[in-house]
Amino acid sequence: MAVFTTVCEAEADALLQRLRLGTLVELRGIEGGIENTNYFLTSSAGAYVLTLFERLTAEQLPFYLYLMKHLAHAGIPVPDPQGDENGDILYTVAGKPATLATRLQGRSALAPTVAHCAALGGMLARMHLAGADYERQQPNLRGLAWWNATAPLVLPHLNAAQAALLQSELAYQNHIGASSAYAALPRGPVHADLFRDNVLFEGARLSGIFDFYFAGVDTWLFDLAVALNDWCVDLPTGRHDAARFHALLGAYQDVRPLTVHERPMLAAMLRAGALRFWISRLWDYYLPRDAQLLTPHDPTHFERVLRERAAHPVRLDGA
C-alpha cells in the first residue's frame, strides 16, 4: 500500500455522504506496499480503509470486492466493502476506481510465533472452504503466464548466476504447470499474498486478513505455500523454521487435510511461491513507479528462499 494518487478531504467527505456513513473526521495516507493507494479514513460512523486502484481495472475489481463480501458473510474476518443505496461497492474517487471497506482491528505479528502460525493455518483452511462456493471466476493474474511475461523484463538487471537461476526455475515451473499432477490439485479462490503484514492479531486471536487484491482462482496448495514461505522462514537466510512450518501446516490440515494429489506437490509449490515473489520484487525494484510513500521490497530475500527451496526441498515427512 502506498500513496500514488492524492485524495482531498472534500472528495473523501463526498464519498461518505454517498454511502451514508457520517462525516469525515480524519484522512491519513498509509505507507508501505506497492500496488494501490490506501488511506485510513475515520468518520463519525466508524473506521474504514479507502483504496484507490492503480493497476487493476474496473472490470477486474468485482471479483476481489465481492469475494471479500462473500468471505465476510461466511464469518471470515476480512474487510467488508460498503455499498451505497444501490448496493454498489465500486466507485470513482480522484479519477480512479475505489472502494471503502471496514477497518479491521489488531496488529500484525511481524515476528510470528508457533501460536501465530497455527492460528493462520487454521484460518487459511477455513477461508479456502468458505470460498469454495464463490461463483465469480478470475485467474491468478500473477500466476505462471505473468512470470513468463515478466522474466524477460528483469533479466537484463541480473548477474549471470541470478539469470541462470531465474531461467532454470521458470523452466521447471512451466514443466510442473503442464503436468497431470498439477491439473489434479484442488483449486478455488485464493488470497495469493498472505504475508505476515496482511494479517492482524489481538493477543493470540487472529482478528483480520486483508489486502485481497492479488486474489484469483488458483490451487489452494499454492496459497498455502505462499504463506509457509513467509511465516515459517528465517528472514536472514531464507531457511524454513521447522516448528512454525509444522504448526501452520498441521493447523491447516486439522480443518482441511491435504489430498493425495497435494502432498507430493508441496515442494514444487513452495518453489513456485518463492519464484513468484522474487520476480515481482525484481520488477518493482528495477522498474518502479513514483509514489509519495513507496518503499520497494528487497528482491534478494526471495532469491535466498528460492535457492533454499530448490536445494533443500521441504517435505511433509521431514523438517
Side-chain angles (χ1 to χ4, degrees), residues 1-2 30-38 49 51-53 56 64-65 67-68 71 77-80 101-102 104 127 190-200 208-216 223 276-277 297:
M1 296 170 283
I30 304 175
E31 183 175 0
I34 52 177
E35 287 296 318
N36 303 313
T37 290
N38 288 271
V49 174
T51 300
L52 280 66
F53 301 98
L56 295 168
Y64 309 103
L65 301 181
L67 175 60
M68 287 190 290
L71 295 175
V78 302
D80 189 2
T102 51
L104 305 171
M127 188 168 70
V190 300
H191 186 282
D193 189 31
L194 198 53
F195 282 36
R196 58 189 76 178
D197 57 354
N198 286 333
V199 180
L200 300 174
I209 294 175
F210 61 100
D211 200 358
F212 278 80
Y213 302 115
F214 285 117
D223 208 23
R276 178 265 191 257
F277 284 96
H297 293 295

Side-chain angles (χ1 to χ4, degrees), residues 9 53 64 83 142 151 154 161 170-171 180 185 198-199 207 217 246-247:
E9 292 188 353
F53 301 98
Y64 309 103
R142 291 290 180 91
V154 301
L170 193 56
S180 59
L185 296 177
N198 286 333
V199 180
S207 57
V217 174
H246 289 300

Side-chain angles (χ1 to χ4, degrees), residues 108-166:
S108 294
L110 299 182
T113 65
V114 166
H116 290 127
C117 291
L120 187 278
M123 187 61 73
L124 178 57
R126 286 181 54 202
M127 188 168 70
H128 286 164
L129 295 176
D133 60 349
Y134 182 61
E135 295 183 351
R136 292 176 184 262
Q137 295 290 316
Q138 183 166 284
N140 176 3
L141 299 180
R142 291 290 180 91
L144 183 60
W146 187 85
W147 310 346
N148 283 315
T150 306
L153 303 179
V154 301
L155 272 171
H157 301 281
L158 306 184
N159 62 37
Q162 291 171 322
L165 174 64
L166 178 56

